[in-house]
Amino acid sequence: MINRNTYLKQLIALRGQKLIKVVTGIRRCGKSTLFELFKDVLKSESITDDNIHSYNFEERENQTFSSWAEIYDTIVSKCTESTNYVFLDEVQLVPQFEKLVDALFVKKNIDLYITGSNAYLLSSELATLLSGRYIAINLHPYSFAEYVSAFHNETRIDKLFNRYINGSCFPEAVNIFQTSPDMVNAYLRSLYETVVVKDIVKRRRLRKFDSLQRIIDFVFDSVGSVVSPNNIADCLQKNANGVSHNTVQKLLTYLMESYLVYPVRLYNIKGKRLLAANYKYYVVDLGLRNIVNTNRPDADLGHKLENVVYFELMRRGGEVFAGRTDKGEVDFVVKKYDGRMEYYQVAYRVDDEKTLNREISSLKCIRDANPKYLLSLDFDESVVDGVQKINVIDWLLQSDGAEAPFFSD
């Protein structure tokens, strides 16, 4: 079992806090496994099984309850007088789950942890009902460091990185690759269809699946590019696949709610303000992108690398934006929780001085003293005009000492 230290540390830090710990993320990214790791920590500190109560509502034996109240009564009847750690997986599958969560939360002897595979969990009545009483941890598939640890017999980091940037980092996809690599795409196809059909089409009762698929095609093919609902609608109209602006906006929201894609807002660095309408979008797993788009190992490497860097920045904490300057774009602006800013430009290779100057020109025009980084596969780690060049593989493997990416309301 791969140790998800970044997230495990957060659960440990939150233990005993009178807050509901909500772990969110796309299906099969490892939420249940994270709970198992945390339970191991509890047991190592002499917490007994009598004080640990787990219910996964995707399992058949937990689908026989007639109401949320029956589930509540069952859990409470098994609790001891001392602190009880209650874990509810995929709790949004329970009718009126908000009432179940609220009723358990107010019990003084319960420390409550829940998971959900759809942002509906936090955009529903739960957010209103529990305002100020929950904290969310958004879990992603494996980081590169976690991916490397899964292949302990492979010593060539460059080989692993090439596989990582062109394949899947879902935990089960990584396991399958080690025994039956030819079956990985079949697994990803099944996962993709489950997310799209169950979490979007069925839940939202969509009648036109083809419109959703075309928008997925567009967004997956435009990773790292600035787009807007109008851009997408206009492009689909030109291809005789007309979809209205409002429909595009609605379907993009559904994709984000399922954690299939993540939006990044644009930030005017000079004016220190967010820009409206346009976003960049990143795909939660590049292997899923292969299911929709033909992904040659030598194609679109810059945007693939940018996708990887985005999720690593998310893991390390802070708000992540795409930057705009008078000289062009800055791939990422990170606002840390103490107010510090960091600027990142991402390039697959910087082979000559002309390319270098193009990549760092937007960074050079930023007048503040915050750190500026150029991440690439080059091994030159010099400082050029105040921009620190860093090898991206080394950076991805760093022990992050990161701030926890918590979100509370």
Side-chain angles (χ1 to χ4, degrees):
M1 188 182 295
I2 303 303
N3 204 338
R4 312 296 303 271
N5 274 332
T6 298
Y7 307 102
L8 185 58
K9 288 176 182 176
Q10 296 170 39
L11 287 180
I12 293 171
L14 291 169
R15 176 184 170 187
Q17 299 288 330
K18 195 56 181 173
L19 292 165
I20 302 165
K21 294 75 170 178
V22 184
V23 179
T24 63
I26 193 168
R27 289 172 179 267
R28 306 296 177 258
C29 68
K31 297 184 292 296
S32 298
T33 301
L34 178 62
F35 277 178
E36 292 304 315
L37 290 168
F38 183 54
K39 291 175 202 173
D40 288 343
V41 172
L42 295 176
K43 291 175 183 178
S44 73
E45 298 180 5
S46 301
I47 304 298
T48 67
D49 288 337
D50 289 340
N51 293 85
I52 299 174
H53 311 275
S54 300
Y55 297 83
N56 186 330
F57 295 104
E58 286 189 315
E59 295 177 351
R60 183 171 179 81
E61 58 266 33
N62 292 321
Q63 296 175 6
T64 58
F65 293 105
S66 61
S67 67
W68 71 267
E70 184 183 353
I71 299 172
Y72 171 83
D73 291 340
T74 300
I75 294 172
V76 170
S77 70
K78 295 179 180 180
C79 287
T80 66
E81 292 184 3
S82 57
T83 300
N84 295 269
Y85 298 89
V86 176
F87 298 89
L88 307 179
D89 264 325
E90 303 300 341
V91 70
Q92 79 279 356
L93 298 176
V94 176
Q96 297 182 297
F97 70 90
E98 302 93 340
K99 293 183 178 180
L100 171 64
V101 172
D102 187 41
L104 290 171
F105 172 71
V106 299
K107 297 289 289 184
K108 291 183 179 180
N109 62 336
I110 288 179
D111 194 7
L112 185 58
Y113 301 79
I114 67 177
T115 75
S117 297
N118 199 290
Y120 171 73
L121 187 68
L122 297 179
S123 62
S124 66
E125 292 179 12
L126 183 66
T128 301
L129 188 66
L130 301 178
S131 180
R133 293 187 285 172
Y134 73 84
I135 191 162
I137 300 170
N138 188 225
L139 184 66
H140 306 132
Y142 286 160
S143 68
F144 182 57
E146 291 167 337
Y147 185 87
V148 169
S149 69
F151 295 91
H152 52 274
N153 292 324
E154 177 58 70
T155 58
R156 286 191 54 186
I157 299 298
D158 59 333
K159 184 177 179 181
L160 287 173
F161 181 75
N162 185 63
R163 191 186 298 158
Y164 182 78
I165 203 170
N166 287 295
S168 176
C169 54
F170 275 101
E172 193 57 39
V174 173
N175 291 338
I176 292 171
F177 182 88
Q178 298 190 62
T179 57
S180 307
D182 292 341
M183 297 300 296
V184 171
N185 273 2
Y187 168 76
L188 291 175
R189 169 64 67 183
S190 175
L191 176 58
Y192 172 80
E193 290 176 353
T194 299
V195 172
V196 172
V197 173
K198 282 192 175 182
D199 292 342
I200 302 176
V201 175
K202 286 188 177 179
R203 192 173 73 80
R204 292 296 185 175
R205 299 178 182 176
L206 299 183
R207 288 178 293 179
K208 292 186 176 181
F209 174 77
D210 58 329
S211 296
L212 176 65
Q213 187 59 60
R214 289 199 298 272
I215 290 170
I216 293 173
D217 292 346
F218 186 98
V219 173
F220 277 24
D221 194 48
S222 305
V223 163
S225 299
V226 178
V227 297
S228 70
N230 281 334
N231 296 148
I232 299 173
D234 290 346
C235 182
L236 296 181
Q237 188 69 45
K238 290 176 184 176
N239 292 326
N241 293 317
V243 181
S244 71
H245 168 276
N246 289 339
T247 298
V248 170
Q249 182 66 67
K250 180 176 65 177
L251 295 179
L252 282 173
T253 299
Y254 298 163
L255 292 177
M256 291 182 281
E257 285 182 347
S258 67
Y259 299 109
L260 193 59
V261 300
Y262 283 68
V264 179
R265 295 187 68 180
L266 269 61
Y267 179 79
N268 184 301
I269 296 173
K270 184 177 180 180
K272 297 182 179 180
R273 60 186 176 85
L274 290 171
L275 302 175
N278 294 346
Y279 288 81
K280 286 185 175 182
Y281 293 93
Y282 296 96
V283 182
V284 71
D285 179 76
L286 289 168
L288 287 181
R289 189 177 184 232
N290 299 346
I291 301 303
V292 176
N293 301 87
T294 302
N295 182 14
R296 298 196 321 274
D298 60 342
D300 203 20
L301 294 174
H303 284 138
K304 291 177 188 175
L305 183 59
E306 195 176 319
N307 201 96
V308 167
V309 169
Y310 167 71
F311 283 99
E312 185 62 27
L313 290 172
M314 289 280 284
R315 291 183 191 97
R316 298 188 183 194
E319 296 180 88
V320 182
F321 307 104
R324 281 279 178 86
T325 72
D326 294 338
K327 295 291 185 178
E329 293 186 6
V330 174
D331 288 327
F332 300 112
V333 177
V334 182
K335 184 178 180 181
K336 294 294 186 175
Y337 297 120
D338 60 4
R340 291 179 296 118
M341 305 289 280
E342 297 174 350
Y343 305 105
Y344 292 86
Q345 199 75 327
V346 182
Y348 195 77
R349 295 282 187 189
V350 182
D351 296 322
D352 51 54
E353 188 172 350
K354 182 179 180 181
T355 304
L356 174 63
N357 288 333
R358 183 184 70 240
E359 293 294 342
I360 68 173
S361 61
S362 56
L363 293 174
K364 286 165 60 177
C365 74
I366 301 172
R367 299 305 178 190
D368 63 45
N370 291 303
K372 306 171 184 68
Y373 303 103
L374 174 61
L375 302 176
S376 74
L377 285 174
D378 298 334
F379 291 100
D380 173 15
E381 298 205 345
S382 59
V383 178
V384 180
D385 293 329
V387 178
Q388 174 69 61
K389 297 172 69 178
I390 298 178
N391 178 268
V392 70
I393 295 178
D394 290 343
W395 179 79
L396 289 167
L397 292 175
Q398 286 173 2
S399 175
D400 52 76
E403 302 170 59
F406 294 156
F407 302 91
S408 62
D409 185 43

